[in-house]
Amino acid sequence: MHLIIILGAVGLSYGLRKADFLTPRNWGQRWERSLLLFISPPIILITTAIAVICMGHQGEMLGLSTGWFSYLLAWSFCGWTAILGLILGYQGWRSVQKVNNYPQIMIKGKSLRLLDNPILFSAQIGFWNSQLVVSKGLVERLNSEQLYAVLNHEQAHYYYRDNFWFFWFGWLGKIAPFLPNTEMLWHELLTLREVRADQWAKKQVDGLLLAETLLLMVSDRLTQTANFSAAFSCTTPPNRLTERIDALLGEPDFSIQQNNYWFCSWILLNCFPLMTMLFHQ
């Protein structure tokens, strides 16, 4: 019976990733939809595995016996997710330690870490309390207005704690690589993250200046794709870059509904597999 539950969770996760529903009407709803479709399937798999482990290999469910195979399968999956999380966490910790060795400078009243590289580069690196790293080339080659635009964009990433949340999103995306549309949804979330930061920065900086600075940096950038970093010139396909430019030059609606009980209810449903423990005897 436990094996049936596991297969049902895999089928549901696969179906969610292939589903085409919840057509978004603005950027905020697009963010919620992409986030929901990205994180729900792996969370369902995790909660299903936890439920099977808690129920154990003995007993019955709805008159059907349980066994060792599904129990060991659940333990293997949980072990894999834990090991992957430790590996990603260790890689992030190593990056933070490396950043701590960079010289510290002050620009426009902000404390930054300076990377000795001629390429245009800026990124928040770390987890909850991330640090802003800029390259020597960025400081020397951008004028004061362009540099101010970059700093405001990176401050938005710190404000939203993007490094912290995208570390966990990245972990969820890697634990079940067999699920469809993982890469597509991941790039969608990266794009929406940057659009949100752009809109935050537009409160202080002209959108046209941000767009011009973005194009300049994308043409001369240091690739950084780790889950614990957020860069102004985030590596994205050309069509995603066009979306960012259009959003910077327009007035996109990135408002997210407050007290969105529907979205919160859906997240709670991801833990529904834990309710199956009530039927175990």
Side-chain angles (χ1 to χ4, degrees):
M1 185 61 189
H2 288 174
L3 185 59
I4 295 176
I5 295 175
I6 293 174
L7 293 176
V10 172
L12 177 60
S13 301
Y14 190 93
L16 282 175
R17 280 290 179 83
K18 297 292 288 186
D20 184 17
F21 62 98
L22 305 176
T23 303
R25 294 190 296 271
N26 55 43
W27 287 83
Q29 290 184 1
R30 182 174 165 183
W31 165 266
E32 291 182 340
R33 176 185 183 274
S34 300
L35 182 62
L36 178 67
L37 295 179
F38 186 81
I39 69 174
S40 288
I43 290 178
I44 289 173
L45 295 178
I46 292 173
T47 55
T48 300
I50 292 174
V52 171
I53 290 173
C54 290
M55 288 185 285
H57 59 87
Q58 297 178 336
E60 294 183 348
M61 285 190 68
L62 302 177
L64 299 177
S65 62
T66 60
W68 275 99
F69 179 75
S70 56
Y71 183 71
L72 294 176
L73 186 63
W75 265 113
S76 299
F77 180 73
C78 286
W80 154 250
T81 59
I83 291 172
L84 181 59
L86 290 174
I87 292 174
L88 293 176
Y90 177 72
Q91 292 174 348
W93 178 81
R94 287 288 301 273
S95 293
V96 171
Q97 297 306 307
K98 184 177 180 180
V99 165
N100 288 336
N101 293 325
Y102 294 163
Q104 198 166 17
I105 61 174
M106 295 292 294
I107 298 180
K108 296 186 180 297
K110 299 182 183 296
S111 177
L112 316 174
R113 294 287 181 173
L114 184 64
L115 173 65
D116 187 11
N117 195 302
I119 293 178
L120 298 177
F121 175 77
S122 70
Q124 290 283 351
I125 297 180
F127 297 97
W128 184 261
N129 290 313
S130 58
Q131 299 185 76
L132 177 55
V133 178
V134 298
S135 66
K136 189 175 181 181
L138 184 83
V139 176
E140 294 177 346
R141 294 165 56 185
L142 295 188
N143 60 41
S144 59
E145 290 184 345
Q146 291 171 331
L147 187 57
Y148 183 67
V150 173
L151 294 181
N152 272 276
H153 175 94
E154 297 299 345
Q155 183 63 30
H157 287 308
Y158 184 86
Y159 174 79
Y160 289 112
R161 307 290 180 175
D162 283 333
N163 293 62
F164 175 80
W165 294 112
F166 271 79
F167 170 79
W168 295 110
F169 296 162
W171 171 67
L172 288 174
K174 292 179 183 297
I175 63 175
F178 58 87
L179 292 175
N181 297 326
T182 298
E183 195 70 16
M184 183 271 291
L185 287 169
W186 175 248
H187 282 295
E188 174 81 349
L189 287 174
L190 287 178
T191 300
L192 294 171
R193 179 188 73 178
E194 298 307 315
V195 170
R196 182 175 65 175
D198 289 339
Q199 297 308 304
W200 195 90
K202 276 180 64 176
K203 298 176 182 178
Q204 305 292 332
V205 183
D206 180 65
L208 181 59
L209 176 62
L210 277 165
E212 292 174 347
T213 307
L214 173 61
L215 289 174
L216 180 63
M217 292 190 64
V218 167
S219 63
D220 184 9
R221 67 187 173 195
L222 179 65
T223 302
Q224 179 63 259
T225 58
N227 298 337
F228 36 85
S229 67
F232 181 45
S233 54
C234 178
T235 304
T236 53
N239 62 310
R240 303 287 186 178
L241 177 61
T242 301
E243 285 187 292
R244 283 188 66 185
I245 298 297
D246 291 341
L248 278 169
L249 299 180
E251 294 293 336
D253 180 11
F254 212 106
S255 60
I256 296 179
Q257 181 182 347
Q258 299 295 323
N259 299 324
N260 192 335
Y261 299 112
W262 175 87
F263 183 79
C264 295
S265 298
W266 190 279
I267 295 297
L268 290 176
L269 284 176
N270 295 334
C271 300
F272 181 75
L274 297 175
M275 299 294 293
T276 59
M277 291 189 293
L278 298 176
F279 301 96
H280 183 82
Q281 298 179 353

